[in-house]
Amino acid sequence: MGNVFTKSDIREAFPDTAQADRRIRDLRDFGWVLHARSEDASLLQEQTRFVRAGVEVWDPRARRAADPQKAISAKVRDDVMARDSYMCTTCGITGGEEYPDAVMQSGVLSVTKQTVRLPDGSEREELVTRCKRCRAGRGARSVSVAEAMADAAGLGNDDLRELIGWIGGGRRRPLPIERAWSSYLGLPPDARADVRARLVERSLEE
Ligand SMILES: [Zn+2]
């Protein structure tokens, strides 16, 4: 279903654009549904599947009318980020936090539109917090079904149910401990020291 293409195809189609990643992200921001490997396991790492066309980005008027940044107000953006505990809903990185697998590279968060498939099979547009890396489709590793099952094998029932919830919703929900971590990271340095001391004290009481 749908055409599969690679980043080099996009580079050929847009010869003056060096960054194919950026081009794909732009299209997604304008309502185009393009699946990467993270959304469609049948694809190879470099492949993207065209699912549905969005705004006619080559028409300047249509483009201006649908400008995704303009459409999301600062207030809405703040609300969405707060709901997601200032974490990327795909990989869990917090703004400014270093990626565990890439030292010297840290999370830059923004709010983007995402198409979510509901349990009844219908689709809905939802605003979610995503990091720059996941928006560019570079967040996902390449794993086999066997590896994915092996990673899930050690999960207890609560974690398993949580994971199934994430899979159903198409996005990761912050766990209570991660929400606490994200709140801690949002504090100024002197307040961090205060919170740390209080938490240590509480851990000794229990
Ligand atoms: Zn991410």
PDB file of all heavy atoms in Angstrom, residues 74-113:
ATOM      1  N   ALA A  74       1.121  29.776  21.049  1.00  0.00           N
ATOM      2  CA  ALA A  74       2.089  29.573  22.135  1.00  0.00           C
ATOM      3  C   ALA A  74       1.422  28.912  23.344  1.00  0.00           C
ATOM      4  O   ALA A  74       1.996  28.045  23.985  1.00  0.00           O
ATOM      5  CB  ALA A  74       2.715  30.903  22.524  1.00  0.00           C
ATOM      6  N   LYS A  75       0.171  29.307  23.605  1.00  0.00           N
ATOM      7  CA  LYS A  75      -0.568  28.765  24.751  1.00  0.00           C
ATOM      8  C   LYS A  75      -0.806  27.263  24.580  1.00  0.00           C
ATOM      9  O   LYS A  75      -0.555  26.472  25.486  1.00  0.00           O
ATOM     10  CB  LYS A  75      -1.908  29.518  24.876  1.00  0.00           C
ATOM     11  CG  LYS A  75      -2.965  28.859  25.738  1.00  0.00           C
ATOM     12  CD  LYS A  75      -2.879  29.343  27.181  1.00  0.00           C
ATOM     13  CE  LYS A  75      -4.018  28.782  28.037  1.00  0.00           C
ATOM     14  NZ  LYS A  75      -3.770  27.407  28.490  1.00  0.00           N
ATOM     15  N   VAL A  76      -1.283  26.893  23.371  1.00  0.00           N
ATOM     16  CA  VAL A  76      -1.548  25.477  23.091  1.00  0.00           C
ATOM     17  C   VAL A  76      -0.248  24.674  23.172  1.00  0.00           C
ATOM     18  O   VAL A  76      -0.205  23.589  23.744  1.00  0.00           O
ATOM     19  CB  VAL A  76      -2.219  25.315  21.699  1.00  0.00           C
ATOM     20  CG1 VAL A  76      -2.270  23.845  21.278  1.00  0.00           C
ATOM     21  CG2 VAL A  76      -3.627  25.906  21.710  1.00  0.00           C
ATOM     22  N   ARG A  77       0.825  25.257  22.612  1.00  0.00           N
ATOM     23  CA  ARG A  77       2.119  24.578  22.631  1.00  0.00           C
ATOM     24  C   ARG A  77       2.564  24.306  24.076  1.00  0.00           C
ATOM     25  O   ARG A  77       2.999  23.221  24.407  1.00  0.00           O
ATOM     26  CB  ARG A  77       3.151  25.439  21.903  1.00  0.00           C
ATOM     27  CG  ARG A  77       4.178  24.596  21.210  1.00  0.00           C
ATOM     28  CD  ARG A  77       5.215  25.347  20.384  1.00  0.00           C
ATOM     29  NE  ARG A  77       5.088  26.756  20.258  1.00  0.00           N
ATOM     30  CZ  ARG A  77       4.786  27.398  19.124  1.00  0.00           C
ATOM     31  NH1 ARG A  77       4.555  26.724  18.037  1.00  0.00           N
ATOM     32  NH2 ARG A  77       4.733  28.701  19.094  1.00  0.00           N
ATOM     33  N   ASP A  78       2.405  25.310  24.925  1.00  0.00           N
ATOM     34  CA  ASP A  78       2.777  25.150  26.340  1.00  0.00           C
ATOM     35  C   ASP A  78       1.936  24.062  27.004  1.00  0.00           C
ATOM     36  O   ASP A  78       2.458  23.247  27.771  1.00  0.00           O
ATOM     37  CB  ASP A  78       2.585  26.472  27.100  1.00  0.00           C
ATOM     38  CG  ASP A  78       3.652  27.497  26.743  1.00  0.00           C
ATOM     39  OD1 ASP A  78       4.618  27.118  26.056  1.00  0.00           O
ATOM     40  OD2 ASP A  78       3.502  28.672  27.141  1.00  0.00           O
ATOM     41  N   ASP A  79       0.626  24.066  26.719  1.00  0.00           N
ATOM     42  CA  ASP A  79      -0.274  23.073  27.314  1.00  0.00           C
ATOM     43  C   ASP A  79       0.102  21.649  26.898  1.00  0.00           C
ATOM     44  O   ASP A  79       0.104  20.737  27.727  1.00  0.00           O
ATOM     45  CB  ASP A  79      -1.730  23.346  26.906  1.00  0.00           C
ATOM     46  CG  ASP A  79      -2.295  24.586  27.600  1.00  0.00           C
ATOM     47  OD1 ASP A  79      -1.623  25.104  28.521  1.00  0.00           O
ATOM     48  OD2 ASP A  79      -3.391  25.034  27.213  1.00  0.00           O
ATOM     49  N   VAL A  80       0.396  21.479  25.600  1.00  0.00           N
ATOM     50  CA  VAL A  80       0.742  20.149  25.093  1.00  0.00           C
ATOM     51  C   VAL A  80       2.047  19.667  25.740  1.00  0.00           C
ATOM     52  O   VAL A  80       2.143  18.531  26.199  1.00  0.00           O
ATOM     53  CB  VAL A  80       0.865  20.159  23.549  1.00  0.00           C
ATOM     54  CG1 VAL A  80       1.446  18.848  23.037  1.00  0.00           C
ATOM     55  CG2 VAL A  80      -0.491  20.409  22.908  1.00  0.00           C
ATOM     56  N   MET A  81       3.034  20.570  25.823  1.00  0.00           N
ATOM     57  CA  MET A  81       4.318  20.189  26.425  1.00  0.00           C
ATOM     58  C   MET A  81       4.155  19.827  27.894  1.00  0.00           C
ATOM     59  O   MET A  81       4.759  18.876  28.377  1.00  0.00           O
ATOM     60  CB  MET A  81       5.333  21.313  26.262  1.00  0.00           C
ATOM     61  CG  MET A  81       5.883  21.396  24.857  1.00  0.00           C
ATOM     62  SD  MET A  81       7.559  22.061  24.876  1.00  0.00           S
ATOM     63  CE  MET A  81       7.883  22.174  23.130  1.00  0.00           C
ATOM     64  N   ALA A  82       3.299  20.589  28.604  1.00  0.00           N
ATOM     65  CA  ALA A  82       3.066  20.302  30.025  1.00  0.00           C
ATOM     66  C   ALA A  82       2.385  18.941  30.171  1.00  0.00           C
ATOM     67  O   ALA A  82       2.768  18.135  31.021  1.00  0.00           O
ATOM     68  CB  ALA A  82       2.221  21.403  30.652  1.00  0.00           C
ATOM     69  N   ARG A  83       1.374  18.666  29.327  1.00  0.00           N
ATOM     70  CA  ARG A  83       0.677  17.371  29.378  1.00  0.00           C
ATOM     71  C   ARG A  83       1.665  16.220  29.168  1.00  0.00           C
ATOM     72  O   ARG A  83       1.575  15.177  29.800  1.00  0.00           O
ATOM     73  CB  ARG A  83      -0.408  17.325  28.293  1.00  0.00           C
ATOM     74  CG  ARG A  83      -1.176  16.009  28.234  1.00  0.00           C
ATOM     75  CD  ARG A  83      -1.793  15.764  26.871  1.00  0.00           C
ATOM     76  NE  ARG A  83      -0.774  15.604  25.849  1.00  0.00           N
ATOM     77  CZ  ARG A  83      -0.998  15.690  24.539  1.00  0.00           C
ATOM     78  NH1 ARG A  83      -2.209  15.966  24.092  1.00  0.00           N
ATOM     79  NH2 ARG A  83      -0.033  15.524  23.667  1.00  0.00           N
ATOM     80  N   ASP A  84       2.634  16.422  28.253  1.00  0.00           N
ATOM     81  CA  ASP A  84       3.613  15.378  27.942  1.00  0.00           C
ATOM     82  C   ASP A  84       4.827  15.432  28.878  1.00  0.00           C
ATOM     83  O   ASP A  84       5.841  14.779  28.624  1.00  0.00           O
ATOM     84  CB  ASP A  84       4.071  15.498  26.479  1.00  0.00           C
ATOM     85  CG  ASP A  84       2.921  15.232  25.496  1.00  0.00           C
ATOM     86  OD1 ASP A  84       1.978  14.522  25.893  1.00  0.00           O
ATOM     87  OD2 ASP A  84       2.969  15.727  24.361  1.00  0.00           O
ATOM     88  N   SER A  85       4.700  16.224  29.950  1.00  0.00           N
ATOM     89  CA  SER A  85       5.786  16.354  30.940  1.00  0.00           C
ATOM     90  C   SER A  85       7.112  16.783  30.314  1.00  0.00           C
ATOM     91  O   SER A  85       8.178  16.347  30.746  1.00  0.00           O
ATOM     92  CB  SER A  85       5.973  15.046  31.718  1.00  0.00           C
ATOM     93  OG  SER A  85       4.813  14.758  32.440  1.00  0.00           O
ATOM     94  N   TYR A  86       7.058  17.606  29.278  1.00  0.00           N
ATOM     95  CA  TYR A  86       8.259  18.142  28.636  1.00  0.00           C
ATOM     96  C   TYR A  86       9.190  17.022  28.182  1.00  0.00           C
ATOM     97  O   TYR A  86      10.403  17.105  28.337  1.00  0.00           O
ATOM     98  CB  TYR A  86       8.969  19.141  29.559  1.00  0.00           C
ATOM     99  CG  TYR A  86       8.047  20.269  29.975  1.00  0.00           C
ATOM    100  CD1 TYR A  86       7.303  20.191  31.146  1.00  0.00           C
ATOM    101  CD2 TYR A  86       7.863  21.364  29.141  1.00  0.00           C
ATOM    102  CE1 TYR A  86       6.410  21.194  31.508  1.00  0.00           C
ATOM    103  CE2 TYR A  86       6.976  22.377  29.487  1.00  0.00           C
ATOM    104  CZ  TYR A  86       6.261  22.281  30.668  1.00  0.00           C
ATOM    105  OH  TYR A  86       5.376  23.262  31.013  1.00  0.00           O
ATOM    106  N   MET A  87       8.538  15.958  27.672  1.00  0.00           N
ATOM    107  CA  MET A  87       9.302  14.816  27.151  1.00  0.00           C
ATOM    108  C   MET A  87       8.857  14.497  25.733  1.00  0.00           C
ATOM    109  O   MET A  87       7.679  14.630  25.411  1.00  0.00           O
ATOM    110  CB  MET A  87       8.990  13.561  27.990  1.00  0.00           C
ATOM    111  CG  MET A  87       9.759  13.430  29.262  1.00  0.00           C
ATOM    112  SD  MET A  87       9.100  12.018  30.211  1.00  0.00           S
ATOM    113  CE  MET A  87       9.021  10.745  28.960  1.00  0.00           C
ATOM    114  N   CYS A  88       9.795  14.042  24.898  1.00  0.00           N
ATOM    115  CA  CYS A  88       9.440  13.577  23.563  1.00  0.00           C
ATOM    116  C   CYS A  88       8.551  12.346  23.715  1.00  0.00           C
ATOM    117  O   CYS A  88       8.907  11.412  24.432  1.00  0.00           O
ATOM    118  CB  CYS A  88      10.707  13.228  22.776  1.00  0.00           C
ATOM    119  SG  CYS A  88      10.366  12.399  21.217  1.00  0.00           S
ATOM    120  N   THR A  89       7.380  12.331  23.057  1.00  0.00           N
ATOM    121  CA  THR A  89       6.452  11.210  23.225  1.00  0.00           C
ATOM    122  C   THR A  89       6.898   9.974  22.438  1.00  0.00           C
ATOM    123  O   THR A  89       6.261   8.931  22.517  1.00  0.00           O
ATOM    124  CB  THR A  89       5.030  11.594  22.766  1.00  0.00           C
ATOM    125  OG1 THR A  89       5.098  12.068  21.420  1.00  0.00           O
ATOM    126  CG2 THR A  89       4.443  12.667  23.666  1.00  0.00           C
ATOM    127  N   THR A  90       7.969  10.104  21.666  1.00  0.00           N
ATOM    128  CA  THR A  90       8.474   8.941  20.936  1.00  0.00           C
ATOM    129  C   THR A  90       9.637   8.291  21.678  1.00  0.00           C
ATOM    130  O   THR A  90       9.616   7.097  21.931  1.00  0.00           O
ATOM    131  CB  THR A  90       8.917   9.339  19.513  1.00  0.00           C
ATOM    132  OG1 THR A  90       7.820   9.969  18.858  1.00  0.00           O
ATOM    133  CG2 THR A  90       9.347   8.127  18.717  1.00  0.00           C
ATOM    134  N   CYS A  91      10.656   9.077  22.048  1.00  0.00           N
ATOM    135  CA  CYS A  91      11.849   8.477  22.658  1.00  0.00           C
ATOM    136  C   CYS A  91      12.009   8.821  24.138  1.00  0.00           C
ATOM    137  O   CYS A  91      12.832   8.210  24.822  1.00  0.00           O
ATOM    138  CB  CYS A  91      13.106   8.878  21.892  1.00  0.00           C
ATOM    139  SG  CYS A  91      13.606  10.587  22.160  1.00  0.00           S
ATOM    140  N   GLY A  92      11.253   9.793  24.647  1.00  0.00           N
ATOM    141  CA  GLY A  92      11.319  10.099  26.074  1.00  0.00           C
ATOM    142  C   GLY A  92      12.374  11.114  26.483  1.00  0.00           C
ATOM    143  O   GLY A  92      12.505  11.404  27.671  1.00  0.00           O
ATOM    144  N   ILE A  93      13.105  11.673  25.522  1.00  0.00           N
ATOM    145  CA  ILE A  93      14.142  12.647  25.889  1.00  0.00           C
ATOM    146  C   ILE A  93      13.474  13.933  26.401  1.00  0.00           C
ATOM    147  O   ILE A  93      12.374  14.288  25.980  1.00  0.00           O
ATOM    148  CB  ILE A  93      15.091  12.943  24.694  1.00  0.00           C
ATOM    149  CG1 ILE A  93      16.434  13.467  25.184  1.00  0.00           C
ATOM    150  CG2 ILE A  93      14.486  13.935  23.723  1.00  0.00           C
ATOM    151  CD1 ILE A  93      17.359  12.381  25.670  1.00  0.00           C
ATOM    152  N   THR A  94      14.138  14.580  27.351  1.00  0.00           N
ATOM    153  CA  THR A  94      13.663  15.844  27.890  1.00  0.00           C
ATOM    154  C   THR A  94      14.433  16.961  27.197  1.00  0.00           C
ATOM    155  O   THR A  94      15.556  16.733  26.746  1.00  0.00           O
ATOM    156  CB  THR A  94      13.948  15.877  29.414  1.00  0.00           C
ATOM    157  OG1 THR A  94      13.503  14.653  29.970  1.00  0.00           O
ATOM    158  CG2 THR A  94      13.229  16.999  30.099  1.00  0.00           C
ATOM    159  N   GLY A  95      13.861  18.156  27.113  1.00  0.00           N
ATOM    160  CA  GLY A  95      14.547  19.277  26.474  1.00  0.00           C
ATOM    161  C   GLY A  95      15.912  19.538  27.118  1.00  0.00           C
ATOM    162  O   GLY A  95      15.995  19.662  28.325  1.00  0.00           O
ATOM    163  N   GLY A  96      16.958  19.576  26.325  1.00  0.00           N
ATOM    164  CA  GLY A  96      18.299  19.864  26.834  1.00  0.00           C
ATOM    165  C   GLY A  96      19.036  18.658  27.392  1.00  0.00           C
ATOM    166  O   GLY A  96      20.221  18.732  27.684  1.00  0.00           O
ATOM    167  N   GLU A  97      18.338  17.531  27.539  1.00  0.00           N
ATOM    168  CA  GLU A  97      18.971  16.317  28.077  1.00  0.00           C
ATOM    169  C   GLU A  97      19.758  15.616  26.970  1.00  0.00           C
ATOM    170  O   GLU A  97      19.314  15.556  25.835  1.00  0.00           O
ATOM    171  CB  GLU A  97      17.879  15.383  28.615  1.00  0.00           C
ATOM    172  CG  GLU A  97      18.398  14.150  29.317  1.00  0.00           C
ATOM    173  CD  GLU A  97      17.263  13.224  29.786  1.00  0.00           C
ATOM    174  OE1 GLU A  97      16.085  13.508  29.471  1.00  0.00           O
ATOM    175  OE2 GLU A  97      17.556  12.245  30.455  1.00  0.00           O
ATOM    176  N   GLU A  98      20.916  15.058  27.331  1.00  0.00           N
ATOM    177  CA  GLU A  98      21.737  14.365  26.332  1.00  0.00           C
ATOM    178  C   GLU A  98      21.132  13.004  25.984  1.00  0.00           C
ATOM    179  O   GLU A  98      20.658  12.311  26.872  1.00  0.00           O
ATOM    180  CB  GLU A  98      23.149  14.160  26.889  1.00  0.00           C
ATOM    181  CG  GLU A  98      24.219  14.756  26.012  1.00  0.00           C
ATOM    182  CD  GLU A  98      25.585  14.734  26.689  1.00  0.00           C
ATOM    183  OE1 GLU A  98      25.956  13.695  27.256  1.00  0.00           O
ATOM    184  OE2 GLU A  98      26.261  15.770  26.641  1.00  0.00           O
ATOM    185  N   TYR A  99      21.163  12.637  24.701  1.00  0.00           N
ATOM    186  CA  TYR A  99      20.663  11.317  24.300  1.00  0.00           C
ATOM    187  C   TYR A  99      21.582  10.245  24.868  1.00  0.00           C
ATOM    188  O   TYR A  99      22.806  10.384  24.778  1.00  0.00           O
ATOM    189  CB  TYR A  99      20.639  11.181  22.771  1.00  0.00           C
ATOM    190  CG  TYR A  99      19.572  12.022  22.109  1.00  0.00           C
ATOM    191  CD1 TYR A  99      19.885  13.262  21.564  1.00  0.00           C
ATOM    192  CD2 TYR A  99      18.265  11.576  22.037  1.00  0.00           C
ATOM    193  CE1 TYR A  99      18.911  14.047  20.959  1.00  0.00           C
ATOM    194  CE2 TYR A  99      17.284  12.355  21.429  1.00  0.00           C
ATOM    195  CZ  TYR A  99      17.616  13.583  20.898  1.00  0.00           C
ATOM    196  OH  TYR A  99      16.653  14.353  20.313  1.00  0.00           O
ATOM    197  N   PRO A 100      21.010   9.167  25.434  1.00  0.00           N
ATOM    198  CA  PRO A 100      21.866   8.124  26.008  1.00  0.00           C
ATOM    199  C   PRO A 100      22.771   7.480  24.954  1.00  0.00           C
ATOM    200  O   PRO A 100      23.859   7.015  25.267  1.00  0.00           O
ATOM    201  CB  PRO A 100      20.881   7.098  26.589  1.00  0.00           C
ATOM    202  CG  PRO A 100      19.518   7.510  26.163  1.00  0.00           C
ATOM    203  CD  PRO A 100      19.582   8.897  25.612  1.00  0.00           C
ATOM    204  N   ASP A 101      22.334   7.455  23.706  1.00  0.00           N
ATOM    205  CA  ASP A 101      23.127   6.788  22.666  1.00  0.00           C
ATOM    206  C   ASP A 101      23.916   7.767  21.803  1.00  0.00           C
ATOM    207  O   ASP A 101      24.534   7.383  20.824  1.00  0.00           O
ATOM    208  CB  ASP A 101      22.201   5.938  21.773  1.00  0.00           C
ATOM    209  CG  ASP A 101      21.143   6.787  21.075  1.00  0.00           C
ATOM    210  OD1 ASP A 101      20.911   7.926  21.533  1.00  0.00           O
ATOM    211  OD2 ASP A 101      20.569   6.322  20.085  1.00  0.00           O
ATOM    212  N   ALA A 102      23.885   9.052  22.137  1.00  0.00           N
ATOM    213  CA  ALA A 102      24.633  10.022  21.336  1.00  0.00           C
ATOM    214  C   ALA A 102      25.092  11.170  22.237  1.00  0.00           C
ATOM    215  O   ALA A 102      24.358  12.123  22.462  1.00  0.00           O
ATOM    216  CB  ALA A 102      23.772  10.547  20.197  1.00  0.00           C
ATOM    217  N   VAL A 103      26.295  11.028  22.779  1.00  0.00           N
ATOM    218  CA  VAL A 103      26.846  12.052  23.653  1.00  0.00           C
ATOM    219  C   VAL A 103      27.043  13.334  22.831  1.00  0.00           C
ATOM    220  O   VAL A 103      27.275  13.273  21.627  1.00  0.00           O
ATOM    221  CB  VAL A 103      28.193  11.569  24.241  1.00  0.00           C
ATOM    222  CG1 VAL A 103      28.687  12.527  25.317  1.00  0.00           C
ATOM    223  CG2 VAL A 103      28.033  10.185  24.832  1.00  0.00           C
ATOM    224  N   MET A 104      26.921  14.475  23.464  1.00  0.00           N
ATOM    225  CA  MET A 104      27.077  15.782  22.822  1.00  0.00           C
ATOM    226  C   MET A 104      25.864  16.189  21.997  1.00  0.00           C
ATOM    227  O   MET A 104      25.837  17.249  21.394  1.00  0.00           O
ATOM    228  CB  MET A 104      28.315  15.861  21.908  1.00  0.00           C
ATOM    229  CG  MET A 104      29.643  15.531  22.567  1.00  0.00           C
ATOM    230  SD  MET A 104      30.080  16.728  23.831  1.00  0.00           S
ATOM    231  CE  MET A 104      30.576  18.114  22.810  1.00  0.00           C
ATOM    232  N   GLN A 105      24.829  15.328  21.977  1.00  0.00           N
ATOM    233  CA  GLN A 105      23.625  15.681  21.231  1.00  0.00           C
ATOM    234  C   GLN A 105      22.474  15.685  22.238  1.00  0.00           C
ATOM    235  O   GLN A 105      22.260  14.690  22.929  1.00  0.00           O
ATOM    236  CB  GLN A 105      23.379  14.623  20.156  1.00  0.00           C
ATOM    237  CG  GLN A 105      22.598  15.152  18.973  1.00  0.00           C
ATOM    238  CD  GLN A 105      22.135  14.028  18.060  1.00  0.00           C
ATOM    239  OE1 GLN A 105      22.676  12.933  18.065  1.00  0.00           O
ATOM    240  NE2 GLN A 105      21.108  14.299  17.282  1.00  0.00           N
ATOM    241  N   SER A 106      21.771  16.818  22.342  1.00  0.00           N
ATOM    242  CA  SER A 106      20.711  16.868  23.340  1.00  0.00           C
ATOM    243  C   SER A 106      19.355  17.182  22.715  1.00  0.00           C
ATOM    244  O   SER A 106      19.270  17.697  21.598  1.00  0.00           O
ATOM    245  CB  SER A 106      21.064  17.886  24.421  1.00  0.00           C
ATOM    246  OG  SER A 106      21.338  19.123  23.852  1.00  0.00           O
ATOM    247  N   GLY A 107      18.304  16.851  23.463  1.00  0.00           N
ATOM    248  CA  GLY A 107      16.936  16.968  22.974  1.00  0.00           C
ATOM    249  C   GLY A 107      16.482  18.398  22.756  1.00  0.00           C
ATOM    250  O   GLY A 107      16.671  19.255  23.610  1.00  0.00           O
ATOM    251  N   VAL A 108      15.885  18.655  21.593  1.00  0.00           N
ATOM    252  CA  VAL A 108      15.252  19.944  21.302  1.00  0.00           C
ATOM    253  C   VAL A 108      13.785  19.630  21.014  1.00  0.00           C
ATOM    254  O   VAL A 108      13.473  18.942  20.056  1.00  0.00           O
ATOM    255  CB  VAL A 108      15.900  20.625  20.075  1.00  0.00           C
ATOM    256  CG1 VAL A 108      15.187  21.933  19.761  1.00  0.00           C
ATOM    257  CG2 VAL A 108      17.379  20.858  20.308  1.00  0.00           C
ATOM    258  N   LEU A 109      12.904  20.082  21.904  1.00  0.00           N
ATOM    259  CA  LEU A 109      11.490  19.707  21.786  1.00  0.00           C
ATOM    260  C   LEU A 109      10.659  20.712  21.007  1.00  0.00           C
ATOM    261  O   LEU A 109      10.917  21.911  21.057  1.00  0.00           O
ATOM    262  CB  LEU A 109      10.875  19.547  23.182  1.00  0.00           C
ATOM    263  CG  LEU A 109      11.502  18.515  24.106  1.00  0.00           C
ATOM    264  CD1 LEU A 109      10.773  18.509  25.441  1.00  0.00           C
ATOM    265  CD2 LEU A 109      11.480  17.135  23.479  1.00  0.00           C
ATOM    266  N   SER A 110       9.669  20.210  20.297  1.00  0.00           N
ATOM    267  CA  SER A 110       8.686  21.085  19.667  1.00  0.00           C
ATOM    268  C   SER A 110       7.364  20.328  19.630  1.00  0.00           C
ATOM    269  O   SER A 110       7.320  19.130  19.871  1.00  0.00           O
ATOM    270  CB  SER A 110       9.132  21.492  18.269  1.00  0.00           C
ATOM    271  OG  SER A 110       9.249  20.361  17.454  1.00  0.00           O
ATOM    272  N   VAL A 111       6.290  21.041  19.352  1.00  0.00           N
ATOM    273  CA  VAL A 111       4.965  20.425  19.289  1.00  0.00           C
ATOM    274  C   VAL A 111       4.592  20.256  17.825  1.00  0.00           C
ATOM    275  O   VAL A 111       4.691  21.191  17.041  1.00  0.00           O
ATOM    276  CB  VAL A 111       3.924  21.287  20.036  1.00  0.00           C
ATOM    277  CG1 VAL A 111       2.517  20.790  19.776  1.00  0.00           C
ATOM    278  CG2 VAL A 111       4.215  21.268  21.532  1.00  0.00           C
ATOM    279  N   THR A 112       4.209  19.051  17.452  1.00  0.00           N
ATOM    280  CA  THR A 112       3.842  18.796  16.062  1.00  0.00           C
ATOM    281  C   THR A 112       2.529  18.021  15.991  1.00  0.00           C
ATOM    282  O   THR A 112       2.098  17.426  16.965  1.00  0.00           O
ATOM    283  CB  THR A 112       4.914  17.965  15.311  1.00  0.00           C
ATOM    284  OG1 THR A 112       4.752  16.606  15.670  1.00  0.00           O
ATOM    285  CG2 THR A 112       6.303  18.391  15.657  1.00  0.00           C
ATOM    286  N   LYS A 113       1.937  18.040  14.805  1.00  0.00           N
ATOM    287  CA  LYS A 113       0.706  17.262  14.591  1.00  0.00           C
ATOM    288  C   LYS A 113       1.074  15.824  14.268  1.00  0.00           C
ATOM    289  O   LYS A 113       2.024  15.573  13.545  1.00  0.00           O
ATOM    290  CB  LYS A 113      -0.085  17.860  13.423  1.00  0.00           C
ATOM    291  CG  LYS A 113      -0.808  19.115  13.819  1.00  0.00           C
ATOM    292  CD  LYS A 113      -1.663  19.643  12.687  1.00  0.00           C
ATOM    293  CE  LYS A 113      -2.244  20.987  13.081  1.00  0.00           C
ATOM    294  NZ  LYS A 113      -2.270  21.937  11.975  1.00  0.00           N
TER     295      LYS A 113
END
